[in-house]
Amino acid sequence: GAVDGTIDVFDVESQALVKRFEAHAGACMDVAYSPDGELLAYVQSDDKETTLVVHEIETRAEMVVLRGLDPGRFESRGFYGAHPNLAWHPDGREIVLSWSGGIHAVDVTTSTSRKIDFTAAVRRKVDDTLRVKLELPDDVTRTRSHRWGVPAGGGVVYEALGDLYLRTGDTTRNLTDSTALETNPVVHRDTGKLYYATWSDDEMGAVFVRPLEGGEARKLSDRPTQYGSMAVSRDGSQVAFVRGAGSLVD
């Protein structure tokens, strides 16, 4: 499985690519053939959920047999995969895998699962957590990273610490000052309007426009997803941007 949602089948002897399956949107890992070779099981994950999927080789039909697997495993993966040792029962009726701190068997026909209880003698050394005191400034600090600088208003507009600023001479003014993260500012030369993208975990991404000298921001986008790489037409009537794909765009 791969992070682009594809599953590759290779010939063991020649190491040649034999077949490629186009899976769901999102990444897929821990692939296992059924004992009769007619079904393919794998774990799929996107930004919303992690699921166990069964793929029928001949018809290419797919069915989600289990939802609600542990989120976040695909980010760490580890040395042995996101769900190591995923395996079919010899009778081909169940898939065995681990989640939520236990080992479970999932019936591929009914989508029901049962927990497999086990005990193991384990001895581990537990140390105290290493903690380092970190002083956080609570008044004024110096920023070290400034991105997306564009000329505007006799100065330069840039992003720092998630806000957009206008630097003119020795004066710096915060243009956005919001809880969202603002990025990719573009200023139209003739109209003086400021276009930019935002992101927040609650509302996701959007595109806004506002007067450079101040005023209320107006939302231009209607789909909550990632936005970036924006450009404004010469007459200011159109805005082009790159928009995210996948399940963030329903």
Side-chain angles (χ1 to χ4, degrees), residues 15 17 24 44 56 58 92 118 131 152 162 170 201 210 213 217 223 236:
Q15 300 183 5
L17 178 63
H24 288 254
Q44 180 268 335
E56 190 172 297
E58 183 176 352
F118 75 99
R131 301 185 185 279
D170 296 331
D201 291 341
R210 68 192 308 159
E213 298 303 323
R223 293 188 179 184

Side-chain angles (χ1 to χ4, degrees), residues 106-127:
V106 183
D107 189 301
V108 297
T109 303
T110 64
S111 295
T112 57
S113 64
R114 59 183 178 88
K115 186 175 182 179
I116 302 175
D117 294 322
F118 75 99
T119 59
V122 177
R123 183 172 180 171
R124 287 190 174 183
K125 181 181 178 181
V126 179
D127 290 327

Side-chain angles (χ1 to χ4, degrees), residues 213-225:
E213 298 303 323
E216 185 177 354
R218 179 167 57 92
K219 187 176 181 180
L220 300 179
S221 58
D222 57 1
R223 293 188 179 184
T225 185

Side-chain angles (χ1 to χ4, degrees), residues 58-132:
E58 183 176 352
T59 66
R60 304 180 73 87
E62 291 192 332
M63 177 179 67
V64 176
V65 297
L66 184 70
R67 299 183 182 274
L69 294 178
D70 299 333
R73 284 201 185 187
F74 277 63
E75 281 69 30
S76 59
R77 289 188 249 178
F79 293 104
Y80 306 106
H83 288 268
N85 298 326
L86 181 151
W88 287 80
H89 191 281
D91 63 13
R93 297 178 182 177
E94 292 181 317
I95 300 172
V96 180
L97 73 162
S98 63
W99 80 86
S100 190
I103 299 176
H104 304 261
V106 183
D107 189 301
V108 297
T109 303
T110 64
S111 295
T112 57
S113 64
R114 59 183 178 88
K115 186 175 182 179
I116 302 175
D117 294 322
F118 75 99
T119 59
V122 177
R123 183 172 180 171
R124 287 190 174 183
K125 181 181 178 181
V126 179
D127 290 327
D128 294 333
T129 302
L130 180 63
R131 301 185 185 279
V132 179

Side-chain angles (χ1 to χ4, degrees), residues 1 4-8 19-29 31-32 38-45 51-67 88 95 108 111:
D4 62 355
T6 59
I7 298 175
D8 292 338
K19 186 180 297 185
R20 169 166 290 175
F21 297 100
E22 298 291 339
H24 288 254
C28 57
M29 294 184 70
V31 182
E38 296 181 357
L39 302 175
L40 193 69
Y42 65 91
V43 178
Q44 180 268 335
S45 182
T51 58
L52 175 63
V53 181
V54 171
H55 177 101
E56 190 172 297
I57 302 298
E58 183 176 352
T59 66
R60 304 180 73 87
E62 291 192 332
M63 177 179 67
V64 176
V65 297
L66 184 70
R67 299 183 182 274
W88 287 80
I95 300 172
V108 297
S111 295

